[in-house]
Amino acid sequence: MPESYREDIRNLDLFREMERANFKSLMRGAYVQNFPPRIDLIQEGDTPDFLHVVLTGSVDLFSSWNGRETSMATVRPVSTFILAASVKDAPYLMSARTLEKSRIVLLPSEDVRAIFDIDHMFARAIVTELAQCYRAVVKNTKDLKLRTSLERLANYLLRERGREGADFFTLRMEKRRLASTLGMTPENLSRAFKALEAYGVQVNGNRITLTDPDDLTGFAKPSPLIDDRRA
């Protein structure tokens, strides 16, 4: 594996504080693969043979049931998925596929668990990341259960505004995936965008302009206990 890839992985919070010898041991069994767009990487229900690290590109985590499918999250560089299954040696609860050309590191789950048992700082980092994932799930559940679809979209746009630091931005995903992520149908998403025009939301394809962020904020009533996905 090229040294630059090792550095990218080492800089992740998950691996930064672990013993250097243990990190080298973990990397010994790792390998890098390049995947084209729309390639299935894992299937829910499968055994977690690898912990994946996205170096470039992006990955859609999704789930299916009874003929229906929903997008759960988007993984972007540099980050891992799905840690809980690898640590617990339990079946994947989500599937994953590339959204674009992606370079991904595969770390054998067996090696991850072995280093977890002997490296205190690595184990601590894993617990911290899993706690963060748990909090994110709780916030997302609150978003889905406590808000209307219009309020969910409004708060999503405000979060994107905060991430971009501007009142105009391009959606990072196609609208069909956005609808799925927000628990809506594409038709409901289209109607929601139309309804938010009254609060200064202008839509041109995937380009969004917020002409009156204060008015939109007054409607959306964002809360750090739901919308701050980093804490």
Side-chain angles (χ1 to χ4, degrees):
M1 181 188 300
E3 189 61 31
S4 61
Y5 296 167
R6 293 175 183 263
E7 292 175 2
D8 287 338
I9 298 171
R10 182 67 165 169
N11 286 331
L12 287 173
D13 289 342
L14 189 62
F15 306 103
R16 186 177 296 124
E17 301 299 330
M18 67 188 300
E19 292 288 340
R20 183 167 297 276
N22 290 334
F23 179 73
K24 288 184 177 179
S25 177
L26 185 60
M27 290 298 102
R28 197 172 296 126
Y31 60 97
V32 181
Q33 279 193 285
N34 294 309
F35 296 93
R38 308 295 296 179
I39 291 296
D40 288 342
L41 301 172
I42 62 174
Q43 292 288 334
E44 57 185 311
D46 285 354
T47 300
D49 294 325
F50 296 98
L51 175 65
H52 298 71
V53 184
V54 181
L55 294 179
T56 64
S58 57
V59 172
D60 178 35
L61 301 181
F62 65 98
S63 186
S64 304
W65 180 80
N66 198 29
R68 295 190 289 272
E69 181 179 299
T70 187
S71 182
M72 304 292 288
T74 302
V75 184
R76 294 185 171 86
V78 175
S79 55
T80 65
F81 72 92
I82 301 173
L83 179 60
S86 293
V87 172
K88 190 173 173 57
D89 194 19
Y92 291 122
L93 297 181
M94 295 180 286
S95 301
R97 62 180 165 227
T98 55
L99 293 170
E100 57 189 307
K101 184 178 179 181
S102 302
R103 180 174 292 123
I104 297 174
V105 177
L106 289 84
L107 303 173
S109 296
E110 185 176 1
D111 294 347
V112 172
R113 292 192 293 272
I115 300 299
F116 176 88
D117 288 338
I118 64 174
D119 192 303
H120 170 74
M121 295 307 294
F122 183 48
R124 183 185 181 95
I126 285 178
V127 171
T128 299
E129 181 156 329
L130 291 176
Q132 176 64 31
C133 291
Y134 169 77
R135 291 177 63 82
V137 168
V138 171
K139 290 177 181 181
N140 187 61
T141 302
K142 290 167 68 175
D143 191 34
L144 289 171
K145 287 179 172 289
L146 294 174
R147 288 171 169 164
T148 66
S149 58
L150 200 61
E151 291 167 339
R152 292 198 297 274
L153 176 59
N155 279 284
Y156 173 83
L157 295 177
L158 290 173
R159 291 196 297 272
E160 288 295 286
R161 173 180 179 255
R163 185 186 66 83
E164 292 286 349
D167 293 337
F168 50 90
F169 51 86
T170 300
L171 294 174
R172 293 187 290 168
M173 64 181 77
E174 61 183 13
K175 289 179 181 176
R176 180 173 293 276
R177 285 192 61 247
L178 175 59
S180 179
T181 299
L182 295 177
M184 306 164 65
T185 65
E187 295 76 18
N188 283 340
L189 179 67
S190 179
R191 287 193 288 268
F193 270 122
K194 187 69 176 177
L196 288 180
E197 289 179 1
Y199 299 95
V201 176
Q202 295 182 355
V203 183
N204 183 10
N206 271 18
R207 187 70 172 171
I208 306 296
T209 302
L210 307 183
T211 62
D212 194 343
D214 290 339
D215 197 22
L216 184 64
T217 300
F219 167 74
K221 298 179 177 60
S223 165
L225 298 180
I226 299 177
D227 300 296
D228 185 355
R229 302 301 169 93
R230 300 165 299 174

